[in-house]
Amino acid sequence: MANSSDDSNLGDESLNLTGISGANFWFDQGFTRLVYFFAVITVAVLFLMSSVIFSEALPAIKQFGLGFLWGKDWDTGNQIFGALPYIYGTLVSSAIAILFAVPVGMAVALVTSENFLQTSLRTILAFVVELIAAIPSVIIGLWAIFVFIPVLEPLQKWLASTFKWIPLFNTEDPSGTNMLTAGVILAIMILPTMAAISRDVLMAIPKELRSASMALGGTRWETIFRVLLPSGFSGIVSAAMLALGRALGETMAVTMVIGNSAQISASLLDPAYTIPSVLANEFAEAEPGLHIGALSYLGLILFGLTLAVNIGAVLLVKWVGRKNK
């Protein structure tokens, strides 16, 4: 009888101290209302920003409708605008960045969270990688122009001459300012986000899981790939989505290295253009009317892309969670 009494006590929600709202204390009530207030303010600011951009984009929305999404022409003189080259450049450059940043970021996270190196070396390596996030994008752009592009350009010329039969490298004489360069620069910029969050996720996994896996005969790498990475999958996906959001919205560094040519080309060695780049280049000198409306329309599209990425990440995590149950 004592055991059944203990079980009933353990199931009593009144014993769950974390479930007590603290309604009997005026300080707790005030703090709760303050948190709710700031949460509402955050959502309100988001909707206010969206409504302002939508009102500015309304002339272009009425003029072009959904055809703006697949229009290829951008002629300010004749008031003809299309978003497809900019959407293409934004998505492809961000995809290249994620393709490079995710494996490198995961490698950094594993090296700095597991005991492959001494603790002091792991700490220094993690600090140096995170320090990249503190570098202004303009400085990274200047570094890319004066240091990175001269180093990368011979490799790009070799790719163009050796693999020109592959559409991805089918460019006659690459100049260095192109889609591939922009993607690599973006990868460098989002690497700290990917590495730091993934490292925190891996370090939060209980050490008992590592010990249990290796006690059952698993090797170090089997433990990493079959235990640690699946356990931290949701956090790693969140890191990748945050990094992708940074890549989608990056402006100055990309503007300085992508070539700023509104075209759609299968070759990664051709110049391209992104939505943030065209906003930075043209918004200050845009005339009221369709031009500002088209630029604001691009801003709405960029907002929609980032929203779709986050929704997709949430759905992916939920799907994997249901599959693993």
Side-chain angles (χ1 to χ4, degrees), residues 251-272:
T251 305
M252 291 310 301
V254 176
T255 304
M256 298 169 74
V257 301
I258 200 170
N260 298 329
S261 178
Q263 61 176 333
I264 299 176
S265 174
S267 176
L268 301 180
L269 304 180
D270 281 338

Side-chain angles (χ1 to χ4, degrees), residues 1-311:
M1 294 298 293
N3 290 336
S4 62
S5 176
D6 291 341
D7 292 341
S8 63
N9 287 336
L10 290 175
D12 191 350
E13 290 296 329
S14 64
L15 297 179
N16 182 12
L17 298 181
T18 61
I20 298 176
S21 62
N24 295 327
F25 301 96
W26 65 269
F27 181 81
D28 291 337
Q29 284 183 329
F31 181 76
T32 301
R33 291 172 182 173
L34 184 65
V35 170
Y36 286 155
F37 173 75
F38 283 117
V40 171
I41 288 295
T42 302
V43 176
V45 169
L46 181 63
F47 277 101
L48 179 61
M49 292 170 56
S50 303
S51 64
V52 170
I53 298 175
F54 178 80
S55 63
E56 292 291 334
L58 199 55
I61 295 175
K62 291 180 179 179
Q63 179 71 22
F64 303 110
L66 292 178
F68 182 79
L69 299 176
W70 50 82
K72 297 181 181 180
D73 298 324
W74 190 272
D75 188 348
T76 57
N78 295 319
Q79 299 288 285
I80 299 174
F81 302 100
L84 189 58
Y86 308 106
I87 296 174
Y88 174 81
T90 302
L91 293 178
V92 174
S93 60
S94 300
I96 295 172
I98 285 294
L99 185 64
F100 284 110
V102 168
V104 176
M106 287 304 306
V108 173
L110 287 171
V111 169
T112 55
S113 62
E114 302 298 312
N115 57 351
F116 291 107
L117 301 173
Q118 297 179 359
T119 304
S120 58
L121 291 178
R122 297 202 305 266
T123 303
I124 293 173
L125 179 60
F127 175 76
V128 170
V129 172
E130 293 177 8
L131 194 62
I132 299 175
I135 303 175
S137 60
V138 175
I139 302 301
I140 293 180
L142 290 173
W143 170 81
I145 291 174
F146 293 111
V147 177
F148 187 68
I149 290 179
V151 173
L152 191 62
E153 189 172 355
L155 174 61
Q156 293 183 353
K157 291 182 181 295
W158 177 80
L159 288 173
S161 61
T162 307
F163 300 103
K164 61 182 178 181
W165 50 274
I166 301 177
L168 291 178
F169 307 115
N170 188 14
T171 300
E172 188 66 28
D173 187 21
S175 62
T177 53
N178 49 48
M179 182 81 79
L180 181 59
T181 302
V184 175
I185 291 299
L186 279 176
I188 294 173
M189 297 184 69
I190 67 177
L191 178 62
T193 301
M194 185 69 209
I197 298 178
S198 298
R199 177 175 181 265
D200 291 341
V201 169
L202 293 176
M203 292 185 68
I205 298 175
K207 295 185 180 297
E208 289 78 7
L209 288 178
R210 296 171 173 82
S211 301
S213 174
M214 300 186 75
L216 292 173
T219 64
R220 168 62 64 84
W221 293 107
E222 286 176 337
T223 300
I224 289 174
F225 286 104
R226 296 187 179 183
V227 178
L228 300 185
L229 295 184
S231 299
F233 178 79
S234 60
I236 294 171
V237 170
S238 299
M241 292 305 103
L242 285 174
L244 180 57
R246 169 75 189 278
L248 288 171
E250 179 53 43
T251 305
M252 291 310 301
V254 176
T255 304
M256 298 169 74
V257 301
I258 200 170
N260 298 329
S261 178
Q263 61 176 333
I264 299 176
S265 174
S267 176
L268 301 180
L269 304 180
D270 281 338
Y273 224 150
T274 65
I275 293 177
S277 297
V278 71
L279 292 177
N281 284 335
E282 297 190 12
F283 208 96
E285 300 176 356
E287 297 181 358
L290 279 181
H291 194 184
I292 287 184
L295 293 173
S296 300
Y297 202 168
L298 286 176
L300 280 180
I301 293 171
L302 183 61
F303 181 79
L305 289 175
T306 56
L307 185 63
V309 165
N310 284 279
I311 292 174

